[in-house]
Amino acid sequence: CRTKSLLFHTDDDRFSDVFCENSKKLINVHLFALAAKHYSLPNLGVCTPLEEILEALRGDSQGASIKTDEFMNNKKSHEVQAMSELVDKIAKYCGLKQVIDIGSGKGYLSSFLSMQYNLKVYGIDSSKTNTNGAHERNRKLKKHWKTYQSRARANSETQRLEKPIKNEIKCKAINEKPLNNNSSLQSQDQGTTQDLVPACVFTEVAVSETSKQTEINLAQAQSDESKLSEETLGILNVLPADAVEVFSSSHCNYGEVCEEEKARRKMAFIRAKESKSSESNLYFPLTSYVSAETELSDIITDLEDCIMVGLHTCGDLAANTLRIFTAKPEIKAVCSVGCCYHLLSEQYENQEDCTEEVWGFPMCQYLKDKGWCCGRNARMSACLLPTESLFYRAVLQVIIEEIYGVTKSDRHVGKIFSKSSSFLDYVRKSLKKLELDDSKLPDSCIMDYYEKYKHRMNELEAFNMLKVVLAPCIEVLILLDRLCYLKEQNSIAWSGLVKLFDPVKSPRCCAVIALKKQSCL
């Protein structure tokens, strides 16, 4: 397979001097950095540009776009906006109305897909706390959604009105500008001149032409208003009836137009009433643990042809999302962005070839045949953490070993660093989470450890920079393993990697996308 040979080919001769042959230690940092860049995803050229995907899936735009940064942070807003647009286009292309969001968390993506794009979304998360939070957040979002829509409509209308004004000013400026090269223009035929100069230069100022343009603008405005009204009716199905504010037009005059407006309002009221009677909730947060063997029909009673999505699904969940996609005929497409590679399970990590279990890595048969293994250290290198966070954790580990005699534990500290005000606070919170008695450790002792190792922060900084250089290579290996797994499936019409997010805003920016043959060819 050409794809496999391209994805996993190694240039041993070119980069053979990066590590010492005997000690296996790093001896050439510069060459190490060049090798890492050589094997990064952008350099391999295996990603499909997002613009090409959107063009291939081209369809009608949704109209006025809601600014998600009004109810999400900047990072989450960027992710949800980009992914929801792609998911909606895939769903339209494949004729799908149902979405299953695996590892939906607090429901940011799910709620936006249901409200902005009128898709029926089931968000599945293993945490009951997340599910309850998603319910509450969705309730509040629905309450204020009409306000967000009003703003989006106002912005869209302002931009639409400003565009003709700008064009008119531009044309007027060109009309008033004297033509200095009259002799050269006269030597050209009229058709050529009209191709070179904007048409407004040759427009005669006449009442008939102005009237004609006015009629065109009015017709366009009525068309846009009609389209906007239809989009408004669509979103009313999402909102409860008591939250519906019927769309009213500022251009409404008495007579025929008002009768149309009355009809729209009546229809909106009827639909809103029907919406309330059926509980009109297009987003359903559910609590369930999902594995490769999960039967979705046991969780979703009205399962139909659908697209499965996952935004930053952790560890094995991203791999299992792809396995479920290939195994279930109802799932016609998938769009998955994984993260937390350090949580992946590996089949060959302990040199045990167990065929009875499902592992997070490797997925494709190509790497299975080679018994490929990353190892925990490599997977941890793919996790980008602040140097200070690494330093806190390193000193904490010394404290736990020397004071408590613990060298290994099944418990994890987790994301305590971001919630800690100082190193002292970090140690206290960590010890409590690890269920270790912190009363035997005075503050002065904790700070003594900090001062003892503070001078080695530069070493940790250098180590962290090497991790940053290596991280894209580890991620490439994992992503290409997943892509090759999809390439091995006969039911897949198309699969690829797409850089979906801005890596500065969202480092885990690549999506694995696939469409099945029977629904999308």
Side-chain angles (χ1 to χ4, degrees):
C1 177
R2 181 180 179 278
T3 302
K4 293 175 182 176
S5 62
L6 170 66
L7 304 187
F8 297 111
H9 175 68
T10 58
D11 193 344
D12 294 332
D13 294 334
R14 183 178 177 185
F15 302 116
S16 58
D17 297 329
V18 174
F19 298 95
C20 175
E21 186 175 348
N22 297 322
S23 67
K24 306 301 181 183
K25 290 183 178 181
L26 178 65
I27 58 176
N28 192 326
V29 176
H30 177 68
L31 199 57
F32 173 81
L34 289 178
K37 183 178 181 181
H38 178 76
Y39 292 113
S40 64
L41 201 57
N43 208 56
L44 291 176
V46 294
C47 274
T48 304
L50 177 60
E51 295 75 17
E52 289 186 12
I53 296 292
L54 295 178
E55 176 63 23
L57 300 170
R58 60 187 179 277
D60 296 333
S61 60
Q62 188 65 22
S65 178
I66 307 297
K67 291 185 176 181
T68 53
D69 55 6
E70 295 190 37
F71 47 90
M72 302 179 199
N73 63 43
N74 185 52
K75 176 178 179 292
K76 186 61 67 176
S77 172
H78 170 67
E79 294 165 351
V80 168
Q81 197 91 24
M83 191 164 185
S84 61
E85 179 185 4
L86 177 58
V87 169
D88 175 63
K89 286 188 179 297
I90 294 174
K92 282 186 170 65
Y93 185 80
C94 298
L96 305 173
K97 291 293 185 181
Q98 191 177 90
V99 179
I100 301 176
D101 185 2
I102 300 294
S104 55
K106 297 180 181 178
Y108 291 101
L109 177 64
S110 296
S111 57
F112 192 73
L113 281 170
S114 67
M115 293 187 182
Q116 175 69 2
Y117 296 103
N118 205 33
L119 292 165
K120 187 174 184 179
V121 185
Y122 285 94
I124 305 176
D125 197 273
S126 61
S127 169
K128 184 67 175 176
T129 301
N130 280 345
T131 303
N132 292 337
H135 268 296
E136 180 61 18
R137 186 180 172 283
N138 191 55
R139 183 189 67 79
K140 292 178 179 178
L141 186 58
K142 288 170 70 174
K143 182 178 179 182
H144 299 287
W145 189 253
K146 59 184 178 184
T147 304
Y148 298 134
Q149 280 197 299
S150 298
R151 292 177 188 172
R153 286 197 298 267
N155 291 337
S156 179
E157 181 67 11
T158 300
Q159 292 174 3
R160 186 185 68 80
L161 292 174
E162 285 178 350
K163 190 173 181 180
I165 294 174
K166 290 180 180 178
N167 290 338
E168 182 181 344
I169 294 172
K170 183 178 179 181
C171 291
K172 184 178 180 181
I174 295 174
N175 271 320
E176 294 175 351
K177 184 177 180 180
L179 295 175
N180 297 325
N181 300 327
N182 290 329
S183 58
S184 62
L185 284 174
Q186 289 173 357
S187 64
Q188 301 176 22
D189 64 88
Q190 185 177 359
T192 306
T193 305
Q194 289 179 348
D195 290 338
L196 294 173
V197 187
C200 56
V201 173
F202 301 96
T203 304
E204 296 181 3
V205 182
V207 177
S208 60
E209 289 293 321
T210 305
S211 300
K212 183 178 180 180
Q213 186 62 40
T214 303
E215 290 174 4
I216 294 173
N217 288 340
L218 286 174
Q220 181 65 37
Q222 291 175 358
S223 174
D224 290 347
E225 182 178 333
S226 176
K227 182 179 180 181
L228 190 58
S229 298
E230 292 176 2
E231 292 169 354
T232 305
L233 288 177
I235 201 67
L236 287 175
N237 288 326
V238 179
L239 301 174
D242 57 355
V244 172
E245 180 176 282
V246 182
F247 172 75
S248 61
S249 172
S250 59
H251 301 288
C252 178
N253 295 318
Y254 292 99
E256 184 179 353
V257 177
C258 275
E259 289 300 322
E260 292 179 0
E261 187 63 28
K262 288 179 181 178
R264 290 197 198 102
R265 294 186 181 190
K266 184 176 180 180
M267 181 62 66
F269 177 78
I270 293 173
R271 292 194 178 187
K273 193 172 182 180
E274 291 175 352
S275 169
K276 188 173 182 180
S277 65
S278 61
E279 297 184 347
S280 180
N281 189 355
L282 298 182
Y283 168 40
F284 303 89
L286 304 171
T287 302
S288 178
Y289 176 78
V290 175
S291 67
E293 294 80 20
T294 297
E295 285 294 338
L296 292 176
S297 57
D298 293 339
I299 305 172
I300 303 171
T301 55
D302 62 339
L303 181 66
E304 59 187 56
D305 288 354
C306 62
I307 174 174
M308 179 171 280
V309 303
L311 176 54
H312 290 153
T313 45
C314 292
D316 288 355
L317 186 56
N320 288 336
T321 297
L322 300 182
R323 287 193 174 98
I324 294 173
F325 161 69
T326 58
K328 308 301 179 185
E330 300 90 352
I331 307 174
K332 307 301 183 182
V334 67
C335 180
S336 172
V337 181
C339 70
C340 301
Y341 301 130
H342 62 293
L343 298 178
L344 278 174
S345 62
E346 289 200 63
Q347 184 172 355
Y348 304 108
E349 186 170 8
N350 299 314
Q351 303 298 318
E352 296 177 1
D353 187 3
C354 179
T355 58
E356 298 301 321
E357 294 190 42
V358 177
W359 305 88
F361 181 88
M363 292 188 69
C364 72
Q365 195 59 45
Y366 181 80
L367 290 185
K368 284 179 179 290
D369 292 342
K370 291 180 176 293
W372 197 284
C373 175
C374 286
R376 178 170 173 78
N377 286 338
R379 298 197 315 275
M380 285 298 296
S381 297
C383 301
L384 305 179
L385 299 172
T387 301
E388 191 175 20
S389 172
L390 293 175
F391 177 73
Y392 277 19
R393 186 167 295 193
V395 179
L396 174 67
Q397 186 170 338
V398 175
I399 292 175
I400 291 174
E401 288 182 4
E402 294 186 356
I403 302 297
Y404 296 94
V406 177
T407 57
K408 189 175 182 180
S409 175
D410 294 332
R411 297 184 178 277
H412 301 280
V413 172
K415 301 178 181 179
I416 288 182
F417 173 77
S418 60
K419 304 172 185 177
S420 303
S421 58
S422 63
F423 177 72
L424 184 63
D425 186 37
Y426 174 84
V427 172
R428 293 291 182 200
K429 288 179 177 177
S430 298
L431 292 176
K432 288 179 180 177
K433 189 166 184 179
L434 295 172
E435 296 186 353
L436 297 173
D437 182 13
D438 69 324
S439 63
K440 61 191 296 187
L441 198 62
D443 291 352
S444 58
C445 182
I446 295 175
M447 294 311 299
D448 285 344
Y449 273 100
Y450 179 85
E451 294 296 330
K452 180 180 179 180
Y453 293 102
K454 185 172 64 174
H455 71 282
R456 301 191 65 181
M457 179 78 80
N458 289 338
E459 296 177 40
L460 200 57
E461 181 72 38
F463 171 72
N464 200 30
M465 289 301 100
L466 290 176
K467 283 183 58 180
V468 170
V469 171
L470 181 62
C473 297
I474 305 301
E475 182 174 30
V476 162
L477 179 62
I478 294 170
L479 289 176
L480 294 182
D481 171 51
R482 293 171 182 175
L483 179 59
C484 277
Y485 167 78
L486 292 172
K487 298 291 184 185
E488 293 170 349
Q489 312 303 313
N490 294 326
S491 61
I492 307 300
W494 181 87
S495 58
L497 296 176
V498 177
K499 191 175 85 170
L500 190 55
F501 309 135
D502 179 350
V504 176
K505 295 181 179 179
S506 181
R508 297 289 173 257
C509 59
C510 287
V512 179
I513 302 172
L515 310 177
K516 281 184 181 172
K517 291 178 180 178
Q518 56 265 39
S519 62
C520 301
L521 278 182

